[in-house]
Amino acid sequence: MCWSVYRGLHAERRRRRRLPEMETAGQGAAAPGRTGDWRSRLGSILGRRDQRQSAPPDPRFDTARGAVAQFIETVVLPAFSDLAVELRQHGREALIDHQRYYAVLIVRYRGEEEFRYAIRGRVYHALSFSMAQLTRPRQSDRPTAEILPRGGIARPFAIASLDRQALIDDFLAEYAKWKGW
């Protein structure tokens, strides 16, 4: 970490030496030392290629992300749909919003949000070690679901341990706790 800080500070110093006009950027449109049109400067910034080449994506990571997306689609959304139907029968409005790796069930009562229950899919990479003598066999990435109740702390679960019924039971426990039961 110290080496990274050292390199970052030196890179910042080199950048400040090359671009002294950046120090006066907040002083208005007519900053001294500034030449050229801002559109051409923006074009040169956006046209510049990164010096770092990104690593090709790891196929294991894509497999784990696919498992998370499939979990949201096949377990979370059907459970949320079942809960929404039941909540509507009890006079609540239930809204489901979802993306590929995220889903949220919002319970509204008399036009105001009463409760929010969200699940976010994450992939945790296996740990690696910097010392060669501590080699271990490569572990696969772990697809995980984090449950985010309203006002609560994210609770991670392995996707394999959550099924539709377990998700509904957890929602009911969190909702009851929120209502003060």
Side-chain angles (χ1 to χ4, degrees):
M1 182 174 125
C2 292
W3 179 251
S4 299
V5 171
Y6 173 81
R7 298 256 327 201
L9 290 173
H10 279 283
E12 185 175 327
R13 185 187 320 155
R14 282 193 306 269
R15 185 180 63 99
R16 286 183 190 245
R17 283 185 195 154
R18 281 192 314 239
L19 301 172
E21 70 270 7
M22 293 303 284
E23 304 254 338
T24 60
Q27 297 177 0
R34 188 155 301 180
T35 59
D37 183 30
W38 66 269
R39 289 178 181 88
S40 63
R41 287 186 63 212
L42 179 63
S44 68
I45 291 170
L46 295 177
R48 188 180 304 164
R49 284 205 165 262
D50 252 348
Q51 293 175 351
R52 293 172 281 145
Q53 295 294 326
S54 62
D58 189 352
R60 289 179 296 231
F61 182 69
D62 290 340
T63 303
R65 293 289 283 198
V68 168
Q70 182 180 3
F71 171 75
I72 295 290
E73 193 68 35
T74 61
V75 176
V76 175
L77 292 178
F80 280 5
S81 295
D82 291 348
L83 286 165
V85 167
E86 197 63 31
L87 286 164
R88 287 182 189 118
Q89 289 178 357
H90 290 278
R92 300 299 196 261
E93 183 182 351
L95 307 170
I96 300 172
D97 185 22
H98 68 92
Q99 298 170 359
R100 185 164 183 190
Y101 307 113
Y102 177 82
V104 62
L105 175 62
I106 301 169
V107 180
R108 297 176 60 102
Y109 183 63
R110 295 185 181 163
E112 293 189 21
E113 183 176 318
E114 180 180 46
F115 185 70
R116 172 183 296 256
Y117 187 84
I119 295 186
R120 173 179 57 201
R122 286 273 173 104
V123 176
Y124 289 103
H125 301 288
L127 298 176
S128 61
F129 295 97
S130 60
M131 297 183 202
Q133 63 265 30
L134 295 176
T135 59
R136 290 185 175 174
R138 168 102 170 118
Q139 297 174 345
S140 62
D141 296 327
R142 295 173 307 157
T144 305
E146 292 180 345
I147 296 177
L148 309 164
R150 180 177 181 169
I153 298 173
R155 294 178 293 129
F157 290 94
I159 284 178
S161 69
L162 281 177
D163 61 357
R164 192 176 188 166
Q165 189 59 47
L167 199 58
I168 291 172
D169 291 342
D170 188 68
F171 172 86
L172 294 175
E174 290 295 329
Y175 193 43
K177 191 179 352 175
W178 180 257
K179 297 282 285 176
W181 290 21

